[in-house]
Amino acid sequence: MFVTFEGLDGSGKTTQARLLADALARDGVDVVSTREPGGTPLGDRIRELVLHGDHVAPWAEAALYVASRAQHVEQVIRPALERGATVISDRYLDTSAAYQGAGRGLGLDTILDLNLVAVGGLVPDRTFLVDIDVETALARVGDKGDRIERAGAEFWPRVVDAYHHLAARFPERYVVVDGRRGPDEIAAEIRDHLR
Ligand code: TYD
């Protein structure tokens, strides 16, 4: 099973990805936890370039995330799924659709299609959207964020709308959880859902 976590920066999705991985591992499930951008040595170098460099042109940004993802799928995700492991990824292609496609205005479908080609059509079985509003997210992240987190005010509402659009469009894999509650409550809901 391939599970991904999505949401705004500050949504708490990283905590949820970890809590789910811990719970499954305690149940004896073979779990591979990973994240994007990153997850491979090449991906970690791309992460450094794209998050901590100077200005990156929107299409360069989209292409770097796609490159990181293609490597991640070939080196980590597919091999793990093939041996029967459960893969939990903190962000995957929906992040690019929402952040680069909608947030940066490159086109949600264009970015989604580009990503689908790059990953050979590998779509998650479940995607948990940890849903919070922009104000809460920005308050949690503060102004110390990375290059993406410092995007202009018009960026975030577009990202949130794109996530809601994706959830409505792919109901067979999307589960939207209310991220304004405490982490344990959210984690319990996610575990119940997977059971
Ligand atoms: P994330 O790992 O969630 O941030 P943190 O290091 O704070 O846990 O994601 C890093 C940033 O990269 C985040 O602002 C979202 C952005 N991002 C994209 O814009 N597109 C992508 O395809 C991915 C994977 C991440």
Side-chain angles (χ1 to χ4, degrees):
M1 182 145 186
F2 180 24
V3 179
T4 61
F5 281 84
E6 294 287 350
L8 295 182
D9 299 83
S11 62
K13 68 181 170 41
T14 303
T15 302
Q16 292 306 323
R18 183 174 47 76
L19 290 174
L20 178 63
D22 291 350
L24 292 175
R26 274 198 304 276
D27 290 346
V29 177
D30 178 5
V31 187
V32 172
S33 289
T34 188
R35 70 163 184 184
E36 291 193 351
T40 66
L42 177 64
D44 286 334
R45 289 166 71 185
I46 293 174
R47 183 182 176 94
E48 207 37 50
L49 290 175
V50 80
L51 291 183
H52 303 295
D54 293 331
H55 174 72
V56 180
W59 269 108
E61 182 180 286
L64 286 167
Y65 283 120
V66 171
S68 167
R69 184 162 299 124
Q71 187 76 11
H72 191 208
V73 167
E74 184 182 302
Q75 254 191 330
V76 176
I77 299 177
R78 266 194 208 282
L81 293 173
E82 274 160 17
R83 71 157 203 266
T86 292
V87 175
I88 299 178
S89 186
D90 180 357
R91 299 197 180 282
Y92 187 58
L93 85 190
D94 301 275
T95 304
S96 282
Y99 281 67
Q100 279 68 53
R104 299 287 192 221
L106 300 180
L108 188 140
D109 281 298
T110 307
I111 294 296
L112 200 54
D113 290 347
L114 175 68
N115 274 273
L116 282 168
V117 173
V119 300
L122 181 68
V123 169
D125 298 299
R126 281 292 175 281
T127 299
F128 290 101
L129 172 59
V130 183
D131 197 23
I132 54 165
D133 54 90
V134 175
E135 291 69 34
T136 309
L138 291 181
R140 285 186 189 172
V141 169
D143 56 9
K144 293 185 282 296
D146 57 41
R147 201 182 53 78
I148 304 271
E149 288 161 350
R150 285 184 261 111
E154 70 290 354
F155 179 83
W156 296 107
R158 292 206 292 254
V159 175
V160 176
D161 287 351
Y163 270 133
H164 292 155
H165 166 84
L166 289 164
R169 183 157 149 200
F170 302 112
E172 69 289 353
R173 70 175 167 95
Y174 255 91
V175 178
V176 182
V177 296
D178 180 353
R180 289 167 306 178
R181 297 164 301 158
D184 293 335
E185 200 182 331
I186 301 172
E189 183 185 335
I190 289 172
R191 282 200 299 277
D192 283 348
H193 177 88
L194 284 179
R195 271 195 205 103

